[in-house]
Amino acid sequence: MNENRLAVLMLLAAAIFWSTSGVLIKLVALHPMAIAGWRSLIAGGVILLLCRKEVKVSWGVNPVLAAACMGLFCICFVVATKLTTAANAIVLQYSASAYVAILAPRMLGEPTRRQDWYFLSLVVAGIALFFFDTLSLRGTMGILVGMVGSLFWAGAMIFLRKSRNGSTAWPIALGNFMAAGLCLPFMFRQAPTSTDWLGLVGLGVISLGAGYAVFAYAIKRVRALEAVLIPSIEPLINPMWVFLATGEAPGLWAFTGGALVLAAVTVRGMVSAYHGRTPSRPVQPVPLVCPTG
């Protein structure tokens, strides 16, 4: 199979794994910082285990910056999910595509093509519709935290691509350990119940561990903008799990916006897979040792 097409499938698989985060976060009755810490601690270990043949420890500037952005994003996402609806939190993450479209040509030499701007404009328009719903102060704070998190997500994509000639699994794992370190003061304030542990293990092993393991493979083989846009199917899958488990539903405007995002990204992913495009700066292919190696 063409490497780019396989990478697209890996990105879609990552989105499915990540989509379980919303429902699991909602079901864990701990402080958001405690949830972020425990899930990242578990996820860091799982990523190192699944990608053990690909992990190469590096303390270079780009891997460390990628890790820092990843860790801060992980924290922001959990906090945003607790403060607003899971649908709002997850869709806001993908406003990062706007930042990547602007920064990638300058920082990575990866051109943002005309068709990318078309799809990107639809994604941004869909996200904008979320603000037409009636919001409480708590919900507004959640949206603001989600927007800050999208900045860190964009930074993670940029610096992971800059680290692509080395190990991408390492900075992702390191970022999760950084997040756990920042959340450490909150992690022992309250003892998790058995239900909490079930949710935390699910978050660490499935949502982040398996999700980031397959993402580590894909990010080496697609452009930064594709890495943000293609997994954007997550905004509709994530709230679906939350609705089925808790009854929490996004507002009409948010649902419409999510549908627009889903349509734009699905078509973009199909176009990318059909043409089998490779990154502007090709790298030597490496064996698929993550996540099954």
Side-chain angles (χ1 to χ4, degrees):
M1 180 183 291
N2 179 283
E3 275 209 343
N4 184 266
R5 294 184 182 182
L6 179 58
V8 168
L9 292 177
M10 287 290 192
L11 288 175
L12 295 175
I16 294 173
F17 286 126
W18 292 339
S19 72
T20 61
S21 288
V23 62
L24 293 173
I25 290 171
K26 291 290 185 182
L27 294 178
V28 177
L30 296 176
H31 190 283
M33 295 291 283
I35 298 174
W38 283 116
R39 79 165 191 156
S40 287
L41 181 63
I42 296 170
V46 171
I47 294 166
L48 290 181
L49 177 63
L50 293 179
C51 301
R52 58 191 177 276
K53 293 184 180 179
E54 197 266 341
V55 170
K56 297 177 182 178
V57 176
S58 172
W59 297 103
V61 174
N62 290 324
V64 171
L65 287 175
C69 288
M70 182 67 69
L72 291 170
F73 162 71
C74 288
I75 294 173
C76 287
F77 177 74
V78 174
V79 174
T81 301
K82 280 292 189 180
L83 293 179
T84 186
T85 66
N88 288 358
I90 193 60
V91 170
L92 285 168
Q93 171 186 339
Y94 289 95
S95 61
S97 56
Y99 311 130
V100 172
I102 295 170
L103 295 174
R106 295 167 175 79
M107 298 183 67
L108 298 172
E110 297 177 358
T112 300
R113 304 184 180 106
R114 180 178 299 178
Q115 69 178 24
D116 291 327
W117 286 112
Y118 294 150
F119 290 113
L120 177 60
S121 63
L122 293 177
V123 171
V124 173
I127 291 170
L129 293 178
F130 277 68
F131 290 90
F132 283 84
D133 280 333
T134 301
L135 298 171
S136 64
L137 177 60
R138 178 183 174 90
T140 301
M141 287 299 297
I143 287 179
L144 292 176
V145 173
M147 292 180 69
V148 172
S150 71
L151 288 170
F152 292 125
W153 181 240
M157 297 305 97
I158 293 293
F159 290 112
L160 280 173
R161 283 294 295 153
K162 289 176 76 71
S163 307
R164 63 188 180 275
N165 289 326
S167 170
T168 49
W170 163 248
I172 292 175
L174 178 62
N176 277 276
F177 288 133
M178 286 181 174
L182 290 173
C183 297
L184 193 61
F186 298 89
M187 293 167 61
F188 297 97
R189 288 185 177 182
Q190 178 183 351
T193 65
S194 56
T195 301
D196 291 335
W197 276 121
L198 184 64
L200 292 171
V201 171
L203 284 166
V205 175
I206 299 174
S207 301
L208 292 194
Y212 280 136
V214 295
F215 182 78
Y217 171 84
I219 191 64
K220 283 176 170 281
R221 295 160 175 83
V222 297
R223 293 178 299 131
L225 186 57
E226 290 176 318
V228 176
L229 282 175
I230 293 172
S232 295
I233 62 166
E234 185 186 358
L236 283 191
I237 306 175
N238 186 313
M240 179 185 70
W241 302 134
V242 176
F243 175 75
L244 292 175
T246 69
E248 177 188 274
L252 177 61
W253 285 109
F255 181 82
T256 304
L260 185 58
V261 170
L262 177 65
V265 174
T266 299
V267 175
R268 179 65 186 88
M270 291 172 65
V271 169
S272 178
Y274 177 78
H275 289 292
R277 287 174 171 165
T278 55
S280 298
R281 293 181 181 176
V283 296
Q284 291 298 318
V286 296
L288 178 55
V289 296
C290 175
T292 57

